[in-house]
Amino acid sequence: METQSAITPTASSGLGRNRHRGWLWLLVGFLGLAGGWFLWSRFQQDVVPGAIAAQSTTVETETARSAPVKEFSEFVGALEAQERVMLRPEVEGRITQILVVAGDRVSAGTPILQLSPDRPAAVVSGAIADIEVARASRSAAQAEILEAEADRDSAIAERALQDTEYQRTQSLVDAGALAQQSLDQVARNRDVAIAALAAAERRIQTARANLAEARASLSRAESNAAVATEDLSDYQVVAPINGVVGDLPVKVGDYVNIGQMITTLTSNQTMDLRLSIPVERSNELRAGLPVELRTQEGLDPLVTGRISFVAERVEAGAQSILAKASFPNPDGQLRDEQFVRANVIWDESPGVMVPTTAISRVGGQSFVFVMESATEGDSEFVAVQRPVQLGTIDNNRYHIISGVDTGETIITAGILRLSDGAPVTADNSTSAN
């Protein structure tokens, strides 16, 4: 049995036309895709540069300049006033007056407080009375000497008269004009005059001895009075130096003992700071080295002083050398026992300093971004990430040992948004304000 085809000539012709239409639509689709790709490419050539420019990061910059780089070591400690005393009474007694208040600025010799002086005052009065008695005795002795000297002068004159009378009478007796009895009378008178002169000399000696004793008594009385007065002055506590009065923990009526601390007196015109310098720095340590003083890390120095003392021996336990730095304090901004940081400047040389905000770290390596002119693309500048070697930090700036040269433009803000080669635009208006 044979099977005949069901396809007629008319059906075959319709199938051929359908195949031609499929190829036609495929060609049209292909041409549409090609045209679309061509238009998209032209559009991208116009749009991409603007997009790139829009992605440029705004940053702040700073030109790297040469600045003094200090080699220093930091120390911490408490300041000490060069002049500071603790006032303690040298006698015991009850406080009758407090003549100052805490915080008063006083000069040397200013009375601080008074203790009850009743007993020493009585001793002083007795010593003054003894002085008056001794002075009266001295005056009496001086008057006695004057009287004795006058008697001696009279006795000398009488002796001279009696000698003359004796010689004249002896001549007359020898000539037979007078009897021997007259010569004996004259001789007796001369002996009386000699005895009177000797007595006057003895009275003078006695008066001089009395005067010496009176003078010694006066000297003792004056010494006793001076001691009594000194003892009396001990009952008044006075300022030994110029300074500021500290806290006064006592009050009127309190009884204080010898050596009990009453208050402190401090002069802050010059401050000292003790420094324990490692023995390894002994060859560099010398008097006159500059020392910068700060109260907090990163702040500007309050004042610059100098090393004023270097010990001759090494502290055995710590293997350090004691040094003292002195700081002027005319404005009183430094205080006794104030905790401070001190930088001993060993050396100073020129170098490049950059802000700490310009430093980034990746895997232990420090980097900075340097703004350089772009060699390709439409951006004017790009950020170039450059490794650097850091030195010391001073006043929030790092010393760059290597990696950056003077005159290069360093990006100081906005570095977290950057990568190597990223386009950047400088805007320093914020930092300028």
Side-chain angles (χ1 to χ4, degrees):
M1 181 175 178
E2 295 181 0
T3 303
Q4 294 181 354
S5 174
I7 301 175
T8 63
T10 303
S12 177
S13 176
L15 182 61
R17 286 195 299 270
N18 288 337
R19 288 177 178 174
H20 286 299
R21 288 181 186 147
W23 284 107
L24 180 62
W25 283 111
L26 182 62
L27 178 61
V28 170
F30 175 77
L31 292 176
L33 287 175
W37 179 85
F38 176 76
L39 293 176
W40 180 83
S41 297
R42 292 296 303 270
F43 177 77
Q44 284 296 101
Q45 291 178 359
D46 295 333
V47 172
V48 169
I52 294 176
Q55 294 174 0
S56 178
T57 303
T58 301
V59 294
E60 295 178 13
T61 62
E62 180 180 304
T63 301
R65 295 184 177 89
S66 177
V69 177
K70 299 172 183 177
E71 180 189 356
F72 64 88
S73 299
E74 185 179 74
F75 301 87
V76 294
L79 293 171
E80 300 176 358
Q82 277 193 353
E83 291 186 300
R84 178 180 60 180
V85 295
M86 295 183 179
L87 294 184
R88 305 176 188 270
E90 298 181 6
V91 295
E92 61 182 19
R94 194 170 302 280
I95 299 175
T96 59
Q97 284 181 293
I98 297 178
L99 306 171
V100 297
V101 296
D104 281 355
R105 184 174 294 277
V106 298
S107 56
T110 301
I112 303 298
L113 60 80
Q114 178 70 54
L115 302 178
S116 176
D118 295 342
R119 186 174 60 183
V123 174
V124 171
S125 298
I128 292 175
D130 291 341
I131 289 176
E132 296 301 326
V133 171
R135 285 175 177 171
S137 298
R138 183 187 63 181
S139 298
Q142 289 173 338
E144 185 180 358
I145 288 177
L146 293 176
E147 183 179 356
E149 288 176 345
D151 291 342
R152 182 190 60 183
D153 293 341
S154 177
I156 290 174
E158 182 64 22
R159 166 72 186 275
L161 177 62
Q162 292 302 324
D163 286 343
T164 301
E165 184 65 21
Y166 179 82
Q167 292 174 0
R168 186 176 65 83
T169 303
Q170 186 177 22
S171 299
L172 292 174
V173 170
D174 291 343
L178 291 174
Q180 183 64 38
Q181 185 178 1
S182 299
L183 182 59
D184 294 340
Q185 182 66 35
V186 172
R188 185 181 66 80
N189 292 339
R190 188 183 67 172
D191 293 339
V192 170
I194 292 173
L197 178 58
E201 293 287 354
R202 287 194 296 273
R203 284 198 300 274
I204 290 175
Q205 293 176 359
T206 301
R208 285 176 177 171
N210 293 338
L211 178 59
E213 183 178 354
R215 285 174 174 169
S217 297
L218 177 59
S219 178
R220 286 195 299 271
E222 289 175 342
S223 297
N224 292 336
V227 172
T229 303
E230 181 69 22
D231 292 342
L232 179 61
S233 67
D234 290 341
Y235 283 78
Q236 186 179 69
V237 180
V238 300
I241 62 171
N242 300 333
V244 177
V245 179
D247 182 37
L248 282 163
V250 295
K251 59 183 181 297
V252 174
D254 287 351
Y255 193 90
V256 294
N257 297 310
I258 298 174
Q260 177 180 340
M261 194 190 78
I262 295 173
T263 186
T264 59
L265 200 61
T266 305
S267 176
N268 286 343
Q269 294 301 306
T270 304
M271 309 297 290
D272 285 341
L273 180 65
R274 291 174 174 265
L275 303 170
S276 295
I277 307 297
V279 70
E280 293 79 10
R281 289 282 193 178
S282 60
N283 292 335
E284 302 170 79
L285 181 60
R286 65 186 185 278
L289 280 178
V291 182
E292 294 179 344
L293 204 62
R294 291 177 170 86
T295 55
Q296 295 181 18
E297 186 176 3
L299 297 182
D300 291 337
L302 287 176
V303 66
T304 299
R306 299 281 176 179
I307 297 290
S308 58
F309 166 77
V310 178
E312 293 295 329
R313 57 185 294 270
V314 174
E315 299 291 338
Q319 284 299 294
S320 61
I321 302 172
L322 173 63
K324 278 187 180 182
S326 298
F327 303 91
N329 189 33
D331 299 330
Q333 60 179 337
L334 303 178
R335 296 184 179 274
D336 188 36
E337 299 184 359
Q338 179 180 355
F339 188 82
V340 294
R341 298 175 180 271
N343 291 343
V344 178
I345 310 300
W346 304 109
D347 191 18
E348 188 171 329
S349 59
V352 177
M353 303 289 287
V354 300
T356 55
T357 56
I359 304 300
S360 61
R361 291 178 174 83
V362 178
Q365 173 64 52
S366 298
F367 293 89
V368 296
F369 282 99
V370 180
M371 191 173 77
E372 297 181 357
S373 298
T375 58
E376 58 184 18
D378 293 332
S379 178
E380 185 178 359
F381 298 103
V382 294
V384 177
Q385 191 175 34
R386 189 180 298 176
V388 293
Q389 182 181 356
L390 301 181
T392 58
I393 183 172
D394 182 25
N395 196 21
N396 290 325
R397 287 179 172 270
Y398 274 111
H399 170 215
I400 302 299
I401 298 175
S402 63
V404 174
D405 294 328
T406 302
E408 292 189 295
T409 302
I410 307 299
I411 298 176
T412 60
I415 62 175
L416 297 179
R417 305 191 304 270
L418 298 179
S419 60
D420 188 29
V424 292
T425 302
D427 181 7
N428 295 324
S429 58
T430 303
S431 61
N433 293 334

